[in-house]
Amino acid sequence: MHGAVFLIEFGGILFALGLLGRFAGRLRFSPIPLYLLAGLAFGEGGLLPLGASEEFVAVGAEIGVVLLLLMLGLEYTASDLVANLKTQYPAGAVDFALNAPPGAAMALLLGWGPVAAVVLAGVTWISSSGVIAKVLGDLGRVGNRETPVILGILVLEDLAMAVYLPVVTALLAGAGLAAGSVTLAVSLSVAGLVLFVAVRFGRTVSRFVSSDDPEKLLLVVLGLTLLVAGIAQQLQVSAAVGAFLVGIALSGEVAEGAHALLSPLRDLFAAVFFVFFGLHTNPADIPPVLVPALILAVVTAATKIATGYWAARRAGVSARGRWRTGGALVARGEFSIVIAGLAVTAGVQPDLGPLATAYVLILVVVGPLTARFTEPLGVAFAALRAGSRPRKAELAREP
C-alpha cells in the first residue's frame, strides 16, 4: 500500500508540474514561481501535505541541483571562462559590491547574525542564469550587442560560486577558521586543477567520455557527474561546484550531445528541486517576512539595473543596450534557492527560507518584466531629463 501511495503522490506532483509548466509556457513566463507555489501547496501547512514520497523528492532535489550546475558548466568552455575573467572582472566586482551588501544588511537588521548575513548576501547577489537565458531567447536578444556583457557577468557569478559555496558550507557546518580555510583551499585547488585540465587536456577528456551511442554517453556523463559531486561533498566542498566543474571539463561534440540528452532530466529534477524547497516552507511563515522581502526586491532590482548599465557602458554599448542589460539581470531563481536551501537544511534561521522564497517569487516574476520594459522606461526618463535641462537654462536666464 505504501508503494501505491508513493506512486499516486509522486505521479500527482509530476502531473501538476507539467500542467503548471504548460500554463507558464502559454504566458511566456518562467515556471519557477509556479513550482515554488506547488511546493508550498504540497508541504507542511499546505493544502495536500505529502507523506510517502517526501524522501524520494528530497533525493530528486539533490540530483536537480547537480544537473542544474552541470548543464550550466556545459554552456562554457574553459577558454571562455579565462577570457571572461580577463575582460569582465571589474563588472563582476561591481556586481558583488552593489548586490551582496543589501542582503547582508537586511539579515543583520533582522538580528539573524553573521552566518545568515553571508547566506542572504549570496541570495541577493546571484542572478538566475536559467531565467535570464530563457528571457533573452524569448525576446530575440541572443545576438544583441549587449548579450556578451550579460553572459560575462553571469559566468563570473558562476565562478564566484566555486569560492562562495565552500565558504558557506563551512560556516553552516560550524567549522572554525582553520577548517574553513582548509575547505576553501581544497575547493580552489580542485577548481584550479579542473580548469587546467580542461584548458590543456579538454579534448583528451572529451574523447574518453565520448560515445556514438546516446545511451552510453548519457550513463557515462551522468555517472561521472554524480560521482564527482559526491566526492566533492564528502570533502566538504559543494556537490554543485563539483558538477559545474565537470561541465566545464567537457567540450565540443561531447558537450553538445550531453546537453541534448540531459536537458529533459535537468528540467524534471530541477522542477522537483523547486518543489522540495517549497515543501520545507510553511505558507503561514511567509506573511511575516513579506515586507523585508519586498524591500530587498526593490533595492536589489535597482542595484542589478545599475550593475548592468555600468558594465554595458564600460563595454561601449549604446544607451538602449545599457538599459536592456540592467533589466535582464534582475531575475533571481535557482541559485538563490540553492544557497538558501543549504541554510534551511542546516537550520540556521527559521525565517530565512520563507524570506528567500518570497524574495525569489517576487523577482522571478518581476525579472522578465524589467527585461522587457526597462529600456523604454529608461529612454523615456532620459528624454525627460534632456528636455528639462534647456528649460532650466531658460529659467535661469530670465530676470
Side-chain angles (χ1 to χ4, degrees):
M1 185 64 182
H2 180 79
V5 173
F6 163 75
L7 291 175
I8 292 171
E9 286 187 353
F10 193 64
I13 291 173
L14 295 183
F15 182 69
L17 293 180
L19 294 178
L20 292 173
R22 289 175 60 182
F23 177 72
R26 289 185 178 182
L27 297 178
R28 299 179 66 186
F29 191 73
S30 170
I32 291 176
L34 301 183
Y35 294 159
L36 288 171
L37 290 174
L40 294 174
F42 290 129
E44 179 184 356
L47 301 175
L48 298 170
L50 299 180
S53 60
E54 187 170 353
E55 184 176 348
F56 184 82
V57 170
V59 175
E62 289 189 30
I63 297 175
V65 175
V66 168
L67 290 178
L68 278 170
L69 272 293
L70 168 66
M71 298 296 284
L72 187 65
L74 290 174
E75 296 287 343
Y76 310 114
T77 65
S79 57
D80 290 337
L81 293 176
V82 172
N84 273 298
L85 280 174
K86 290 180 179 179
T87 59
Q88 297 283 0
Y89 70 89
V94 171
D95 182 33
F96 172 79
L98 291 182
N99 296 287
M106 179 61 73
L108 294 176
L109 287 173
L110 294 173
W112 290 356
V115 174
V118 173
V119 172
L120 198 55
V123 171
T124 59
W125 171 24
I126 305 296
S127 297
S128 171
S129 299
V131 174
I132 292 170
K134 187 176 188 310
V135 168
L136 291 177
D138 291 342
L139 296 178
R141 297 181 182 173
V142 175
N144 279 20
R145 174 77 171 81
E146 73 275 3
T147 299
V149 178
I150 297 171
L151 295 179
I153 293 174
L154 295 178
V155 169
L156 286 169
E157 289 181 349
D158 300 334
L159 284 175
M161 291 274 285
V163 177
Y164 174 81
L165 286 177
V167 172
V168 170
T169 302
L171 289 174
L172 294 175
L177 179 61
S181 300
V182 170
T183 299
L184 180 58
V186 170
S187 175
L188 292 176
S189 299
V190 172
L193 177 62
V194 172
L195 287 175
F196 174 78
V197 170
V199 171
R200 297 294 298 272
F201 309 105
R203 293 183 179 179
T204 303
V205 173
S206 296
R207 280 198 302 269
F208 174 76
V209 175
S210 179
S211 175
D212 294 331
D213 187 336
E215 177 185 350
K216 295 182 178 63
L217 179 62
L218 173 64
L219 292 174
V220 170
V221 173
L222 182 57
L224 177 64
T225 302
L226 294 176
L227 179 64
V228 172
I231 293 173
Q233 189 159 316
Q234 193 68 24
L235 294 173
Q236 300 301 312
V237 181
S238 170
V241 171
F244 179 66
L245 295 175
V246 170
I248 292 173
L250 302 178
S251 61
E253 294 182 1
V254 172
E256 294 176 5
H259 192 283
L261 291 170
L262 289 169
S263 290
L265 284 177
R266 185 271 315 273
D267 295 339
L268 169 63
F269 285 105
V272 172
F273 166 71
F274 291 117
V275 169
F276 176 74
F277 188 83
L279 289 175
H280 287 261
T281 303
N282 192 326
D285 295 334
I286 291 181
V289 297
L290 192 56
V291 171
L294 281 169
I295 293 173
L296 271 183
V298 171
V299 171
T300 56
T303 54
K304 275 291 181 181
I305 292 173
T307 298
Y309 190 95
W310 183 89
R313 184 177 64 180
R314 178 176 176 272
V317 178
S318 67
R320 288 180 175 273
R322 296 171 197 171
W323 288 114
R324 289 195 297 266
T325 303
L329 290 170
V330 167
R332 304 321 195 264
E334 61 273 15
F335 294 124
S336 298
I337 296 297
V338 168
I339 295 166
L342 294 174
V344 170
T345 303
V348 171
Q349 171 55 240
D351 289 335
L352 185 55
L355 176 60
T357 300
Y359 175 76
V360 169
L361 280 171
I362 293 168
L363 287 186
V364 83
V365 172
V366 171
L369 298 178
T370 59
R372 187 184 298 267
F373 297 114
T374 298
E375 176 200 349
L377 290 175
V379 171
F381 176 72
L384 285 175
R385 289 188 61 188
S388 66
R389 287 170 186 165
R391 177 59 182 160
K392 288 180 180 178
E394 292 173 8
L395 291 174
R397 288 196 297 268
E398 290 179 1

